[in-house]
Amino acid sequence: IHYAFRDEADGVHPIRIDQYGRNHIYFAKDLCLYPYLEKFNGLGSYRIEAQDYTAEQTAEIVRIYRAALDRLAAGGDGYQAADFDRLTEVSPRPLGIGTYRFRQSRNSI
């Protein structure tokens, strides 16, 4: 059984219980910073939260991000519209840019 909170903006926040019985409230949309990778270029590491994804979905997402990071490292443009479209297809939930820009994130991606 899965539960969720619905917020005032009609966002649905899934609630999951981990193996220790702790509740975790998720964002209404999965965080996707692919369009902004150039701004984060040079970071030492990136993390993809994929515990709710299948192995195939995770592999495809990692492939897309790895290719973009490799293009950036080579001095090119990391963003490619076709890859971003593929991310939106692969993701099991809607994508957003996080809670810090809530109004922009609601309809941004």
Side-chain angles (χ1 to χ4, degrees), residues 4-58:
F5 284 125
R6 183 177 302 274
D7 64 22
E8 292 177 354
D10 250 359
V12 176
H13 300 264
I15 301 169
R16 300 287 189 265
I17 301 172
D18 66 17
Q19 68 269 28
Y20 303 108
R22 297 176 297 197
N23 293 313
H24 300 271
I25 302 172
Y26 287 72
F27 290 131
K29 296 180 179 182
D30 282 350
L31 181 64
C32 178
L33 297 177
Y34 179 82
Y36 306 98
L37 279 181
E38 187 173 339
K39 294 180 186 218
F40 301 112
N41 193 19
L43 289 179
S45 63
Y46 297 85
R47 179 176 174 157
I48 296 175
E49 294 281 343
Q51 62 268 24
D52 289 338
Y53 294 4
T54 66
E56 293 79 18
Q57 290 169 322
T58 304

Side-chain angles (χ1 to χ4, degrees), residues 48 61 66 73:
I48 296 175
I61 290 167
R66 178 77 265 159

Side-chain angles (χ1 to χ4, degrees), residues 81-93:
D83 282 347
F84 181 72
D85 291 343
R86 181 70 182 138
L87 280 173
T88 60
E89 291 171 16
V90 170
S91 179
R93 298 185 327 133

Side-chain angles (χ1 to χ4, degrees), residues 59-101:
E60 182 71 5
I61 290 167
V62 168
R63 184 198 63 74
I64 291 168
Y65 273 87
R66 178 77 265 159
L69 293 171
D70 289 345
R71 286 191 301 273
L72 283 170
D77 184 14
Y79 180 84
Q80 290 190 349
D83 282 347
F84 181 72
D85 291 343
R86 181 70 182 138
L87 280 173
T88 60
E89 291 171 16
V90 170
S91 179
R93 298 185 327 133
L95 300 176
I97 60 172
T99 60
Y100 297 109
R101 295 182 177 177

